[in-house]
Amino acid sequence: MPLTKIANGTIYDPANGVDGEVGDLWIEDGRIIAAPANPALRAAKTIDATGLVVMPGGVDIHCHIAGPATNAARIITPDQRRGAGNVLPRTEFTRSGTLGSVPSTFATGYKYAGLGYTTAFDAAIAPLGSRHAHLEFADTPCIDKGCFILMGNNQYALEAIEANDPERLRMFIAWLLGATKGYAPKLVNPGGVEVWKQSSTARGHGLDDPIPGYAITPRAVIREIVAAANDLGLPHPSHIHCNQLGMPGNWRTTLATMEAVESRRAHFAHIQFHSYGGGEGDEFSMSSRVRDLADYVNAHPNLTVDVGQVMFGDAVAMTGDGAAGYFLHKLYGNRWFNCDVEVEAGCGVTPIEYRRKSVVHALQWAIGLEWYLLVDNPWQVMMSTDHPNGGSFLAYPQIIRLLMDREFRRETVARCPGTVRERCILGDLDREYTLGEIAIITRSGPARALGLKQKGHLGPGADADVTIYTPNENYQEMFELPRMVLKAGETIVDQGEIRATPAGVALHNAPAFDVERLPEVEKWFESHYSLRFKHYALT
């Protein structure tokens, strides 16, 4: 690839301490390089970025864009994908696709690129669904992608924890990531999904409630898997969806879970859904307890969170937490999909709509924004809508405006039910994000939390994933339409139009493990699965 120069841009590169400095970037063979020592050296291509904002490509640490559950969500929401406004026509550079809350594979890649995002991680793939997920990744252009592998209810992992055999657990996690081409362990309602398979009480399964059939609790599952993943040196050691998602009073369980990981690195997913005060099971008493949880995060730099921001409008609850999916289906009376994934996991999918006039929905919206504004260090909080659970990733520009424009935020709060303002402190928060802080929560922070040393920054050696924006006092408009997006140094978006559709790469980890213990897994596997062991791993 010829030498490319991005000239005179206003650069925001927080990982390298650059905050709005005018300068040049040099690109060669898909990577950022140091400025050539020979000042007379001329670039084969120069992009004039005078007056424009230059940032690394966006990194989405938590979304749901591939795999069996995503495909089920597409199937049960045909109404969201019909009509001219929800159909992308084929062009010289793109294939046709559909939008809605869960876009088709091609549309997902195009729309992420259109927002300036170049990397996204699917947050919950059952090991048996990983082949499906990677096939869909291959049809999702323009972005690099990876997936977190569900382990918090895997029966082999539960048996290893019950046997107090940390070496066996480490071996299994390492083998499973390699076999599924996964990136990190994911814990969803640890132990609770196993309860859900046997009863109707899993949504309220607490951290210290016993797991049926095992002499352990969810606390032990969290503690031991987080410890094993840290001991393996994984770049992103664990991604945790706490127990009791969405339940009033669940903030206590969330705080206890944060304490359970002790001093180890851990990431807490869609934290908004786990930050509710009030009486257990009483949605009418629901309130915000973000302040208490954010204070704990502020005091513990080993922890990071993504928000799971709720946005008003159509969404789809799509989760490895089947109990939560069933509850929402009963609550709203919508069609739903549920699946028990053999001895590995479960899932629930149902369409939902967040309404501004609903006290609960508006409070969820406010609680998410409180998280951004109450975590002191922006490196510890990351943008997400838990796409499509809280809303579409296409809402990110509106969230950015809500964070950067205090008056716009206040106007939006004023349109919510008055009860909401009594149950949270959002209306009292004056903080406004800077462009540098936006670069952290949408790019540099997620890349660092994921251990992606080649992403989220613009220093020498970084992937040449670059987004160029035209400044605008309306930050939503600014971030909705980048001036240009480069993927590995190639221009893929220019003035809002897709110009190229590179495949991107699948990011995964394959830690070393003791192969002498693998026959134990194979013997157990052959007696529990309907699939033969030799056909399980992706090649």
Side-chain angles (χ1 to χ4, degrees), residues 68-349:
T70 303
N71 211 36
R74 295 182 182 117
I75 291 170
I76 67 174
T77 56
D79 50 306
Q80 292 187 11
R81 297 183 289 111
R82 297 189 183 114
N86 284 318
V87 177
L88 298 180
R90 183 168 182 160
T91 72
E92 178 185 357
F93 300 104
T94 66
R95 300 181 65 169
S96 61
T98 55
L99 297 176
S101 297
V102 189
S104 62
T105 53
F106 296 108
T108 296
Y110 304 148
K111 288 299 182 179
Y112 261 116
L115 289 183
Y117 274 73
T118 53
T119 306
F121 280 79
D122 192 291
I125 298 296
L128 277 167
S130 62
R131 190 180 305 274
H132 184 151
H134 279 278
L135 288 170
E136 291 198 347
F137 281 166
D139 275 345
T140 306
C142 302
I143 59 174
D144 295 336
K145 44 261 166 179
C147 59
F148 308 140
I149 300 298
L150 294 167
M151 300 186 189
N153 293 277
N154 186 293
Q155 291 181 7
Y156 188 90
L158 297 181
E159 287 188 12
I161 294 167
E162 184 180 46
N164 193 26
D165 191 342
E167 182 181 342
R168 177 183 171 192
L169 181 62
R170 285 194 298 271
M171 178 276 298
F172 178 69
I173 291 173
W175 168 78
L176 191 60
L177 287 176
T180 60
K181 295 191 181 298
Y183 193 82
K186 174 67 179 291
L187 289 75
V188 170
N189 188 8
V193 174
E194 188 63 21
V195 179
W196 163 244
K197 295 178 180 183
Q198 303 179 41
S199 71
S200 60
T201 60
R203 186 167 176 263
H205 200 69
L207 200 62
D208 295 306
D209 294 332
I211 302 171
Y214 300 89
I216 55 174
T217 63
R219 182 188 297 273
V221 175
I222 295 163
R223 182 183 64 244
E224 297 305 320
I225 290 182
V226 169
N230 274 266
D231 290 345
L232 285 168
L234 295 176
H236 188 62
S238 58
H239 204 89
I240 302 171
H241 160 146
C242 296
N243 301 72
Q244 300 180 340
L245 175 142
M247 296 182 63
N250 67 3
W251 76 277
R252 298 180 184 86
T253 298
T254 304
L255 180 60
T257 306
M258 290 178 173
E259 293 169 344
V261 306
E262 299 171 346
S263 60
R264 301 179 181 93
R265 283 183 60 210
H267 180 87
F268 286 79
H270 41 65
I271 194 68
Q272 176 276 136
F273 289 107
H274 305 276
S275 307
Y276 305 158
E280 184 175 330
D282 179 11
E283 68 176 32
F284 297 104
S285 66
M286 182 173 156
S287 63
S288 170
R289 295 302 294 262
V290 176
R291 172 70 77 183
D292 303 87
L293 294 172
D295 285 348
Y296 190 87
V297 171
N298 288 334
H300 292 81
N302 57 304
L303 303 180
T304 54
V305 303
D306 66 79
V307 171
Q309 179 68 45
V310 158
M311 301 299 285
F312 302 121
D314 287 333
V316 178
M318 183 169 62
T319 174
D321 191 342
Y326 177 73
F327 170 79
L328 291 170
H329 148 69
K330 296 292 287 185
L331 181 65
Y332 296 114
N334 291 335
R335 54 197 177 275
W336 81 306
F337 169 86
N338 178 252
C339 181
D340 173 354
V341 188
E342 296 205 12
V343 297
E344 295 184 341
C347 76
V349 181

Side-chain angles (χ1 to χ4, degrees), residues 415-426:
R415 298 203 303 274
C416 294
T419 306
V420 172
R421 297 190 291 276
E422 298 170 4
R423 299 187 187 184
C424 71
I425 62 172
L426 179 62

